[in-house]
């Protein structure tokens, strides 16, 4: 994780990495190229573990009020 990005990106990155741990993914070290890439990369370039960790992070960080039904 890097402090060179804005705080919301840091939060998402932390939640993403927590997702890897919670989902039982193997640990790995990210090379500088991965850390420097845009957070808006095409989904096809990710492997399934990355997609799962992104989904975990998104759900973790989404406020409950956004997810609750208004009916």
């Amino acid at each position: 994780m890097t402090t060179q990005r804005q705080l919301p990106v840091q939060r998402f990155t932390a939640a993403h990495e927590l997702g890897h741990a919670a989902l039982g993914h193997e640990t790995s070290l990210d090379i500088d190229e991965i850390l420097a890439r845009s957070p808006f990369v095409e989904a096809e370039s990710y492997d399934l573990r990355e997609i799962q960790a992104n989904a975990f992070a998104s759900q973790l960080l989404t406020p409950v009020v956004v997810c609750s039904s208004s009916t």
Side-chain angles (χ1 to χ4, degrees):
M1 210 164 103
T2 177
T3 58
Q4 300 300 313
R5 293 198 175 189
Q6 295 181 356
L7 191 54
V9 176
Q10 292 179 46
R11 286 184 185 131
F12 187 85
T13 302
H16 172 97
E17 296 306 325
L18 179 62
H20 280 304
L23 295 166
H25 297 164
E26 290 183 26
T27 57
S28 66
L29 293 176
D30 291 336
I31 58 174
D32 288 340
E33 177 183 313
I34 291 172
L35 295 174
R37 74 179 174 205
S38 167
F40 307 107
V41 232
E42 294 296 319
E44 296 93 37
S45 65
Y46 279 174
D47 67 24
L48 182 58
R49 293 170 298 188
E50 295 302 314
I51 295 169
Q52 291 171 334
N54 282 344
F56 179 96
S58 297
Q59 290 183 351
L60 180 67
L61 296 173
T62 301
V64 173
V65 69
V66 173
C67 298
S68 62
S69 172
S70 60
T71 59

